[in-house]
Amino acid sequence: MSIQKNSSIGTVEESQQSAVHLAEDPALLVFSHLRWHFVTQRPQHLLTRAAQSRHVYFWEEPWFHDAADPESRGRDGGWVEFLEVEQTPDVTVIRPHFNHGEDSIKGQRRLLNRFLSDRGLERFDSWFYTPMALSFTAHLHPRVTVYDCMDELSAFFGAPPELIEREKELFRVADVIFTGGQSIYEAKRSKHSNVHAFPSSIDLPHFAQARTVQSDPPDQAGIPDPRVGFFGVLDERLDSALISEVALLRPHVHFVFLGPVVKIDPAQLPTASNIHYLGSKSYAELPRYLAGWDAAILPFALNDSTRFISPTKTPEYLAAGKRVVSTPIKDVVTGYGMAGLVEVAGTALEFATALDRAISTGQDAEWTQRVERKLVESSWDLTWAAMRAEIDAVRDRKSKVVPPPSRWRSNHNCSSGSGDPFDYLVVGAGFAGSVVAERLASQLGKRVLVIDKRPHIGGNTYDFYNEDGILVHRYGPHIFHTSSQKVVDYLSCFTEWRPYEHRVLAQVDGKLLPIPINLDTINRLYDLNLDSGGMEKFLAERVEARTEIRTSEDIVVSRVGRDLYEKFFRNYTRKQWGLDPSELDSCVAGRIPVRFDRDVRYFSDSFQAMPSEGFTRLFERMLAHPNINVVLSTDYREAMGSHPSAKVVYTGPIDEFFDYRFGPLPYRSLRFEHKTHDTEQFQPAAVVNYPNDYDYTRITEFKHLTGQKHEKTSIVYEYPTDEGEPYYPIPRPENAALYERYRALASAAKSVYFCGRLANYRYFNMDQVVAQALHMYGTIADDEAAEFSIQIPARMLGSATATAQAAT
Ligand SMILES: Cc1cc2nc3c(=O)[nH]c(=O)nc-3n(C[C@H](O)[C@H](O)[C@H](O)COP(=O)(O)OP(=O)(O)OC[C@H]3O[C@@H](n4cnc5c(N)ncnc54)[C@H](O)[C@@H]3O)c2cc1C
């Protein structure tokens, strides 16, 4: 692998020099499926404007070579080519190259990392045209992530099937989404909280040249009048049948097509003596061709791939003073047709008749004025200014929650003399791992590699917008509650909060009753009208005395009696644990309170709230420190060997770390079944428990937790199971004893810190894990300080010896 410096098309050094002139905006890293030097479209208009205040790096899709290609000989593993953009030194086009058969995902990740480190690019914004680029960029930490969604790419001919999944992921990680038109905006607006429509705009002075240009380009000069024309990519979006029919209906009209043929066989294009294909023309040449047309056309087919298009050429034709006839593309109709600026025609006959009118009418003063009014409002300059304002707004919002600069930051270079780029390897990107990583990076200036085997950060608390744009929790409902102000203060550096008090109902005897059991539960279940004192008496008459509280059954029957135990707890526990409460430690049911008032809150903590933009956003900000690298979909064992001198913070299962040498620690797991319903609300509370009916234990409706407004709603069913992800350690004495054996090994392990629920084989709530991780960080900081203080005398001794030697 290498990074090529190709002097014939602009060198790395030249690009770096141009960057000297830049204003304070960080570089913009763009990932595009379109090639810069292909056809000038929206990306070039926007990004050349972006380049007025920052350097733009435009990363294209890879270019593949045959093994026999002399250019690729001896260049296994790929290389990048840097291309300059004429008159725009602050745009650098980067083109990755690979041989056919090479893994271009891994290859691009490597090339990109190398490129970023060569340029020292730590701070940058990223901008996506293709969601597919996430496959090699997910580990980056841009300051702001933009998705400029130009089209419904997945509807395009030849679109990779995983594009839809990737786009969902991009919607999750992007801070702001721009759409290339109104229709695509309508389709995407519910999928993200920060979506803005920016329909295609116009470079008015450029196309207005067509109004004054006289001379025909040589290849057009021989085509007789009247002429109508089209420029752009010639692909499956064109309606070939319609073009053929119209050409047949109007044999005296000549149809000129400019542009490259893409994805379709050129032989499929309509042919006739009055249809002319003149090939690709540069952006600069277009006004000269346009000048020689009597009208312009948008003969697009109406299919999936054109449902959301907002053709840039519409205002460009108009700027050239040309009448336009279009098929009923939604954005053309709503943006121009309804205002009488473009003729819209559905059938071939209508199209031909509209062309007759367009050719014979030409320009008139009133129409020209209306066109100009519309175009002045739609300049690329205005569009870019509005986009930039949105990006700045995100930057400002995010900068409020960036952790303060580190105290010890300047020390980090002394911490590893081994040449290893990382001081710490953190296994697990859940709360335990992320908190420790963030503290190590921001407070001690340590270089941290966070590894998770899952394809996302956040551990079990990971949330994401599903295909309907509803925020859901992948691994079941996570409700934040704590009585620790320290934990709240810490997490508030990375999120704002939405107050939320959790409520749970249980379906018992056909009634939905509050849980934990309170006064209303008893009154409604037994059709009573007790007050608090009455409830105490009611329960006192039913509880079963126990001399020793050992099991979950003991604790429940001694608090609420047998009937409530049978109705609310016994079967629920059997489903949840696969064990009878009489076989389970008392601590399992010990968490469930009984209330003698009407308090329906599930938790009693002083702080109950949800992160206002979800858990994943919180984690993104926590891990956004430039010293932290995150690698996903990777088991830590793949990375351990590469970082032998890094200390380890391990938040995975403790038995796995020691290769299960005493046998596996038993866990209970869950299977989640997510569903979305076409109704605003599914159930009256966030969670409904089903102790006695069905195989699932409970149903959660997420909109109650997140406060999201949406016409649909998403729910999740939980089916307890023995197999699957390790969720709940099974609290039985023999398991505790097994864990103790592993714990003894962990205490003896050198330079490994064990933290979190899996490493401790204990059920912890999120706040407990955060508190534990902050405490663990304190321990590590103490160890670092101790190491540091040992090093100082050693160094001082060294220099004192040297001084003494010099003196003799
Ligand atoms: C269904 C359910 C509901 C819950 N609801 C709540 C709630 O409402 N409120 C609350 O406070 N708490 C709740 N919790 C508890 C909460 O999920 C935990 O407290 C929290 O997620 C623990 O964080 P962690 O970092 O210790 O573990 P995790 O979040 O599990 O993170 C550990 C990470 O380590 C990674 N890992 C493991 N092995 C490896 C390996 N070999 N290589 C690389 N990576 C590895 C895993 O992929 C995982 O991402 C709930 C738990 C469950 C299971």
Side-chain angles (χ1 to χ4, degrees):
M1 178 206 74
S2 68
I3 294 204
Q4 192 201 15
K5 300 177 181 183
N6 185 337
S7 56
S8 64
I9 47 173
T11 64
V12 181
E13 288 76 9
E14 280 160 6
S15 315
Q16 277 170 340
Q17 274 163 18
S18 65
V20 171
H21 309 293
L22 298 181
E24 73 282 9
D25 275 345
L28 185 63
L29 215 54
V30 182
F31 299 96
S32 174
H33 56 296
L34 300 169
R35 299 205 179 279
W36 184 281
H37 295 91
F38 184 46
V39 172
T40 301
Q41 300 181 39
R42 178 183 176 95
Q44 290 88 338
H45 288 298
L46 292 172
L47 298 172
T48 46
R49 282 163 178 83
Q52 287 163 7
S53 66
R54 50 170 58 189
H55 201 95
V56 174
Y57 295 99
F58 188 85
W59 188 280
E60 292 185 346
E61 275 190 345
W63 190 289
F64 289 96
H65 298 260
D66 284 335
D69 186 344
E71 209 191 329
S72 67
R73 203 161 295 142
R75 287 173 141 177
D76 292 344
W79 73 97
V80 292
E81 177 187 11
F82 295 93
L83 292 95
E84 275 191 348
V85 174
E86 218 179 304
Q87 294 177 351
T88 317
D90 284 321
V91 176
T92 304
V93 176
I94 303 168
R95 180 173 298 166
H97 291 258
F98 295 97
N99 286 327
H100 280 297
E102 284 184 326
D103 183 345
S104 64
I105 304 291
K106 273 195 186 155
Q108 285 190 90
R109 197 179 301 130
R110 256 196 337 265
L111 293 172
L112 179 61
N113 289 344
R114 170 87 184 273
F115 162 76
L116 293 174
S117 92
D118 281 0
R119 296 290 169 107
L121 276 177
E122 286 189 354
R123 258 177 95 246
F124 53 84
D125 293 341
S126 62
W127 178 294
F128 287 82
Y129 279 111
T130 168
M132 296 304 289
L134 273 185
S135 57
F136 63 94
T137 57
H139 62 293
L140 301 180
H141 287 289
R143 188 190 64 156
V144 176
T145 300
V146 180
Y147 176 28
D148 189 17
C149 177
M150 293 197 290
D151 225 317
E152 189 51 87
L153 296 175
S154 61
F156 275 34
F157 179 68
E162 63 273 28
L163 190 58
I164 295 173
E165 276 309 307
R166 289 280 178 213
E167 189 179 68
K168 274 190 218 157
E169 191 67 9
L170 186 52
F171 267 87
R172 194 185 62 67
V173 299
D175 298 297
V176 58
I177 315 281
F178 302 141
T179 66
Q182 195 60 29
S183 309
I184 189 90
Y185 169 75
E186 299 298 338
K188 305 284 177 186
R189 62 194 285 194
S190 65
K191 299 190 186 304
H192 193 283
S193 56
N194 198 13
V195 186
H196 305 270
F198 286 110
S200 290
S201 313
I202 171 72
D203 182 354
L204 189 52
H206 182 70
F207 286 94
Q209 293 176 75
R211 299 184 195 183
T212 49
V213 173
Q214 300 298 323
S215 69
D216 240 350
D219 56 347
Q220 189 170 264
I223 300 174
D225 290 332
R227 298 176 197 148
V228 298
F230 170 93
F231 63 73
V233 177
L234 308 182
D235 60 17
E236 83 274 16
R237 290 172 297 173
L238 283 187
D239 189 339
S240 299
L242 177 116
I243 297 165
S244 299
E245 260 189 86
V246 178
L248 200 63
L249 285 166
R250 294 293 180 271
H252 66 288
V253 177
H254 289 264
F255 295 82
V256 178
F257 287 88
L258 311 177
V261 182
V262 173
K263 290 188 284 183
I264 56 169
D265 180 355
Q268 285 175 11
L269 290 171
T271 50
S273 57
N274 57 339
I275 299 180
H276 311 267
Y277 297 100
L278 304 188
S280 279
K281 303 296 164 199
S282 72
Y283 183 68
E285 291 173 293
L286 292 176
R288 211 168 146 213
Y289 282 89
L290 263 166
W293 300 350
D294 296 282
I297 54 172
L298 293 165
F300 285 116
L302 301 182
N303 58 27
D304 279 352
S305 60
T306 57
R307 195 142 62 98
F308 300 110
I309 58 172
S310 167
T312 316
K313 48 197 137 284
T314 321
E316 292 171 348
Y317 291 158
L318 291 171
K322 300 298 155 193
R323 294 272 180 176
V324 183
V325 180
S326 173
T327 49
I329 294 297
K330 192 169 171 215
D331 278 11
V332 178
V333 175
T334 52
Y336 300 90
M338 284 158 72
L341 304 178
V342 165
E343 285 247 24
V344 178
T347 64
L349 188 59
E350 286 167 7
F351 206 95
T353 315
L355 270 184
D356 297 340
R357 271 196 302 275
I359 293 167
S360 60
T361 318
Q363 301 177 16
D364 71 55
E366 190 270 335
W367 177 81
T368 308
Q369 257 181 13
R370 282 193 295 126
V371 164
E372 275 175 5
R373 264 203 307 276
K374 167 86 181 169
L375 296 182
V376 165
E377 286 165 15
S378 339
S379 76
W380 284 115
D381 286 337
L382 287 177
T383 300
W384 171 247
M387 285 180 162
R388 188 177 166 169
E390 294 300 339
I391 295 171
D392 289 350
V394 172
R395 176 204 60 200
D396 292 347
R397 187 165 47 73
K398 285 178 101 172
S399 67
K400 283 194 200 128
V401 292
V402 165
S406 116
R407 274 183 300 129
W408 285 19
R409 186 86 173 270
S410 56
N411 285 346
H412 86 267
N413 287 335
C414 329
S415 55
S416 165
S418 63
D420 192 317
F422 299 107
D423 303 304
Y424 282 85
L425 193 69
V426 172
V427 180
F431 262 120
S434 300
V435 168
V436 176
E438 186 282 322
R439 290 286 87 184
L440 287 171
S442 74
Q443 302 304 298
L444 300 188
K446 296 295 176 194
R447 297 156 304 172
V448 184
L449 177 63
V450 179
I451 293 193
D452 204 299
K453 64 181 179 187
R454 288 172 171 167
H456 56 73
I457 57 173
N460 276 350
T461 69
Y462 171 66
D463 55 15
F464 66 104
Y465 286 88
N466 66 14
E467 60 271 31
D468 289 291
I470 301 171
L471 186 61
V472 300
H473 297 185
R474 173 160 292 171
Y475 306 98
H478 277 73
I479 297 106
F480 190 80
H481 56 101
T482 187
S483 294
S484 162
Q485 191 55 43
K486 188 177 167 189
V487 168
V488 175
D489 288 346
Y490 173 70
L491 292 180
S492 301
C493 295
F494 311 105
T495 187
E496 286 171 11
W497 299 95
R498 187 183 90 83
Y500 170 74
E501 287 181 338
H502 193 44
R503 282 167 177 56
V504 178
L505 297 172
Q507 181 171 292
V508 171
D509 291 353
K511 297 177 184 170
L512 283 179
L513 301 169
I515 191 98
I517 289 172
N518 71 5
L519 191 54
D520 285 329
T521 317
I522 301 292
N523 281 334
R524 289 184 47 212
L525 179 64
Y526 297 110
D527 290 326
L528 297 171
N529 195 13
L530 302 175
D531 58 13
S532 299
M535 177 175 164
E536 276 186 51
K537 192 160 167 278
F538 178 90
L539 292 184
E541 285 164 6
R542 285 160 178 83
V543 296
E544 292 180 12
R546 286 278 195 277
T547 44
E548 192 195 356
I549 302 287
R550 215 173 32 79
T551 68
S552 283
E553 177 182 323
D554 294 338
I555 197 157
V556 179
V557 295
S558 66
R559 286 174 83 179
V560 297
R562 188 144 297 268
D563 194 48
L564 288 168
Y565 163 71
E566 297 282 354
K567 284 185 156 69
F568 284 90
F569 296 101
R570 184 166 194 195
N571 295 326
Y572 191 92
T573 308
R574 280 177 163 177
K575 272 200 259 182
Q576 176 75 4
W577 294 99
L579 292 169
D580 193 82
S582 60
E583 299 170 272
L584 273 168
D585 195 284
S586 62
C587 70
V588 176
R591 295 197 298 137
I592 299 161
V594 175
R595 302 218 177 98
F596 294 89
D597 54 19
R598 305 197 120 97
D599 186 354
V600 286
R601 294 172 315 147
Y602 194 70
F603 302 113
S604 325
D605 287 296
S606 54
F607 184 87
Q608 303 188 27
M610 296 292 281
S612 53
E613 293 171 88
F615 286 103
T616 304
R617 281 283 157 124
L618 185 162
F619 277 87
E620 278 165 7
R621 293 188 185 128
M622 203 183 264
L623 295 169
H625 194 281
N627 276 13
I628 301 178
N629 278 39
V630 180
V631 175
L632 298 174
S633 305
T634 305
D635 194 285
Y636 79 97
R637 277 169 288 213
E638 288 175 43
M640 286 289 264
S642 316
H643 304 282
S645 60
K647 292 170 188 157
V648 174
V649 177
Y650 183 79
T651 76
I654 191 167
D655 49 351
E656 183 187 318
F657 187 85
F658 295 107
D659 297 323
Y660 306 100
R661 79 175 63 162
F662 306 128
L665 285 163
Y667 279 92
R668 190 75 172 151
S669 189
L670 291 171
R671 180 170 66 79
F672 297 106
E673 203 174 292
H674 287 264
K675 282 216 167 101
T676 296
H677 290 281
D678 228 338
T679 169
E680 267 201 72
Q681 191 179 309
F682 180 80
Q683 61 189 29
V687 171
V688 176
N689 287 354
Y690 292 88
N692 308 313
D693 315 306
Y694 314 114
D695 289 342
Y696 47 83
T697 45
R698 58 179 183 169
I699 301 178
T700 300
E701 184 175 13
F702 291 105
K703 279 164 59 185
H704 291 279
L705 309 181
T706 59
Q708 191 180 358
K709 303 272 175 270
H710 199 290
E711 69 257 22
K712 296 185 183 180
T713 193
S714 292
I715 58 171
V716 65
Y717 297 81
E718 288 175 41
Y719 293 88
T721 140
D722 275 336
E723 276 164 16
E725 294 267 340
Y727 290 134
Y728 299 107
I730 299 178
R732 289 176 58 79
E734 61 271 29
N735 301 342
L738 182 56
Y739 164 68
E740 277 307 316
R741 298 180 72 191
Y742 283 115
R743 199 175 68 86
L745 291 181
S747 322
K750 243 182 114 221
S751 298
V752 185
Y753 297 89
F754 292 84
C755 186
R757 63 177 190 106
L758 295 164
N760 284 278
Y761 191 59
R762 265 189 72 183
Y763 181 88
F764 288 128
N765 279 324
M766 293 180 276
D767 62 324
Q768 294 172 301
V769 171
V770 173
Q772 193 192 55
L774 290 173
H775 186 262
M776 175 60 73
Y777 160 72
T779 305
I780 299 174
D782 288 347
D783 290 352
E784 286 280 340
E787 248 180 61
F788 190 64
S789 63
I790 290 164
Q791 281 166 15
I792 289 173
R795 268 198 240 122
M796 285 168 66
L797 186 66
S799 61
T801 312
T803 313
Q805 279 171 355
T808 50

